[in-house]
Amino acid sequence: MLLMRRAFLITSLLAAGLLLAGCAIVDHEQRRWIFMPGERSWAPGVAAAVGMEDVWIDYVSQHPEQPGEAVRLHGLWLPQPAPDAPVILFLHGVRWDVRASAPRMRQLHRLGFSVLGIDYRGFGRSSAAMPSETLVAEDVRAAWQWLAQAHPQARRFLFGHSLGGAVAVRLAAEVPDEAGLIVEGGFTSALDVVRSTRWGWLPIAPLMTQHFDAGSRVAEVGSPLLVVHAAGDTMIDPALGRALYERALPPKRFVLIEGAVHENADVMGEPAYREALRALFGFGD
């Protein structure tokens, strides 16, 4: 997958270069470079998505950019046989559509969840738009409400990978009914990601419009939190995942997957996932 760290780095350099070009251009280019939206997928993910059910979530946007516009989100649904199985909303990172996350979704299914993965506006088959932090927040809130209506009997969890981790933290801080939150390969803020690079000295903070400030929100999460990070992650510094964990309130758990990198912590860490789910959330085989 595309380097999250590289995306934020390009964004920071671009923002500095566009300092005199106007705020609207800076905002648009940040969004374009951070999200890299489109219909692109990843071949192993496309294969793993075969057999999953298509889900369509329709709602009317209240966002200032698209007030009153009809929005259609595409998702993939992977149910458990038991109707009361816990359900989890999977929130992906940048560049690829939801099919690229199908292997991670299947892993969560093996761990006992029914899984819904969605594409934000601008990704895959969802409505066209240039994604932003706040547009994505509206999309995931709609998906969360869809789950509540479709599966009112089930405990509902949130999972965010990479950039999706910051999106998941924001949603968990805003809703009162999540049973738990899992963040893999996450970070405290977009600015902290930039500062963890060799370009961190650039004075870009005043130019940033896409903050993804999970670190300031995570203490507002009212459910158990599992933070997973690959020890060999060169995209998002493991120290940022640890810092996110440290700012959260208990109950919480931090799992560092030795020998793993940003792309494969799910595979390398499956035994650790199982143990953490038992300890923190009280389910799993």
Side-chain angles (χ1 to χ4, degrees):
M1 287 192 173
L2 182 70
L3 298 178
M4 274 291 304
R5 186 169 173 174
R6 181 183 175 190
F8 284 128
L9 174 58
I10 293 172
T11 298
S12 67
L13 293 172
L14 186 64
L18 294 173
L19 180 59
L20 301 178
C23 294
I25 295 176
V26 170
D27 175 65
H28 183 273
E29 292 304 305
Q30 279 187 52
R31 291 159 63 172
R32 184 169 67 89
W33 278 104
I34 287 174
F35 286 100
M36 298 284 186
E39 299 179 4
R40 295 178 300 271
S41 197
W42 177 59
V46 172
V50 173
M52 293 185 180
E53 300 175 22
D54 289 314
V55 165
W56 299 98
I57 300 171
D58 294 292
Y59 76 99
V60 177
S61 178
Q62 302 301 315
H63 192 278
E65 288 186 18
Q66 297 185 332
E69 290 192 23
V71 176
R72 168 163 274 204
L73 304 178
H74 174 248
L76 295 175
W77 172 242
L78 189 59
Q80 291 287 343
D84 60 346
V87 297
I88 195 162
L89 176 60
F90 185 101
L91 303 175
H92 65 69
V94 303
R95 188 179 185 185
W96 308 113
D97 73 3
V98 69
R99 294 173 298 170
S101 296
R104 276 189 166 82
M105 291 173 61
R106 289 201 178 276
Q107 183 215 34
L108 290 167
H109 188 262
R110 289 194 301 272
L111 294 173
F113 294 99
S114 294
V115 188
L116 173 66
I118 65 160
D119 269 328
Y120 322 119
R121 272 172 281 187
F123 284 87
R125 297 159 68 188
S126 292
S127 294
M130 178 57 68
S132 73
E133 182 176 2
T134 51
L135 281 170
V136 167
E138 186 181 45
D139 290 343
V140 301
R141 176 67 74 98
W144 188 249
Q145 292 171 347
W146 183 92
L147 273 181
Q149 294 168 4
H151 303 278
Q153 77 288 354
R155 289 196 297 164
R156 285 176 292 135
F157 293 78
L158 281 163
F159 180 100
H161 178 248
S162 199
L163 184 69
V167 177
V169 168
R170 177 173 181 153
L171 180 59
E174 293 176 348
V175 299
D177 55 351
E178 86 284 357
L181 169 63
I182 304 171
V183 174
E184 182 187 316
F187 53 86
T188 45
S189 72
L191 184 59
D192 287 341
V193 173
V194 174
R195 286 174 172 166
S196 71
T197 74
R198 65 191 182 98
W199 300 99
W201 56 270
L202 287 169
I204 66 162
L207 301 174
M208 296 192 71
T209 64
Q210 307 299 298
H211 302 286
F212 295 99
D213 193 0
S216 70
R217 295 187 174 103
V218 71
E220 301 172 23
V221 173
S223 61
L225 169 66
L226 172 60
V227 177
V228 179
H229 217 107
D233 195 334
T234 59
M235 302 182 189
I236 305 295
D237 191 328
L240 296 181
R242 168 65 78 169
L244 182 68
Y245 163 82
E246 294 291 349
R247 297 183 193 183
L249 300 177
K252 59 184 180 178
R253 189 169 182 129
F254 182 78
V255 177
L256 188 67
I257 308 299
E258 297 294 340
V261 294
H262 190 75
E263 298 91 345
N264 69 358
D266 56 327
V267 175
M268 299 290 291
E270 185 161 334
Y273 260 111
R274 290 186 182 277
E275 194 279 327
L277 289 173
R278 282 193 295 266
L280 194 60
F281 302 130
F283 78 94
D285 53 24

